[in-house]
Amino acid sequence: MARSAKGGTGNRVTITRALSKLGYCSRTQAERLLAEGRISIGGKPVTDFETWVDIRSDRIEVDGRPIAAEEKAYVMLNKPRGLVTTRDDPEGRETVYSCLKDAGFGFLSPVGRLDKASEGLLLFTNDTVFSQRLLDPATHVPKIYHVQVGGRLDDRQVRQLETGVPVEGETWRAASVRIIRQGEKNTWLEVRLEEGRNRQIRRMLESIGVECLRLVRVAIGDVELGDLPKGDVRRLTANEIAILNKATGLDGR
């Protein structure tokens, strides 16, 4: 039976979290549904955000229709530059969901973020456990980026990025950096990260006085963006899902 409580893990969660875990909507959207009196549990309307439910046994309905767990979906987007990684933007900017709106995948959440100026591989899923494990620094799943910077970098600057640079009183570092190619006016780097900080690569480059001109994520673990056209989406293959499950320790599920 649903009830209010503090704390909770696994299948017993707040009603807003339940709707997110079941792949029905985001927590913010669930809060709106609660405020509008459209959610019921066991036939009784609920409006309290602190209501807890067991997603295995409690009957959850929205507008009188029962909510069941969605089939797990795992999707890759080649994010174009200029889109923000959010469902609803208060400033009215175009979001990554403009690329998914006609794809028929149902409710999906992004796995992490790419900032507005960044491009490349962005994953979406309704599997919250998968998403959390993939973002957990303890799993050490690397993210690979191709980064264009202004000017020519020397080996000393590359080593700086690997050994650590000061950012806001902390030392930030990349797992590895290598020069892919360089010309007179710019250099392309391959940067490997095993932790996710906000605008990490851009801020590390700023710290050593280097301008970031373009940033493209090309891989997460051994799953690569490949030749997916910009702005297009596709489902991950069974093999790609298995690769990421193994990398995050979820292959035994």
Side-chain angles (χ1 to χ4, degrees), residues 27-78:
R27 289 191 229 183
T28 300
Q29 291 169 321
E31 289 174 359
R32 295 193 194 117
L33 293 173
L34 277 172
E36 294 167 2
R38 297 168 59 187
I39 299 176
S40 63
I41 301 171
K44 298 180 179 180
V46 293
T47 56
D48 185 356
F49 291 11
E50 295 301 315
T51 299
W52 286 68
V53 297
D54 188 318
I55 59 178
R56 296 168 302 182
S57 58
D58 287 322
R59 181 180 175 85
I60 304 169
E61 297 178 337
V62 176
D63 296 332
R65 294 189 296 272
I67 303 303
E70 294 285 334
E71 180 183 354
K72 294 292 186 286
Y74 309 86
V75 173
M76 171 192 298
L77 164 69
N78 185 351

Side-chain angles (χ1 to χ4, degrees), residues 149-161:
V149 301
R152 295 175 63 88
L153 265 66
D154 56 34
D155 289 341
R156 178 187 60 82
Q157 290 171 303
V158 169
R159 298 289 81 77
Q160 267 187 290
L161 295 171

Side-chain angles (χ1 to χ4, degrees), residues 7 17 19 39 59 63 90 111 114 123 129-131 142 151 160 167 186 222 232 243 248:
R17 178 69 170 148
L19 291 178
I39 299 176
R59 181 180 175 85
D63 296 332
V111 182
L114 285 174
L123 299 181
V129 174
F130 172 88
S131 181
Q160 267 187 290
V167 179
N186 59 69
D222 290 327
D232 279 10
I243 287 171
T248 56

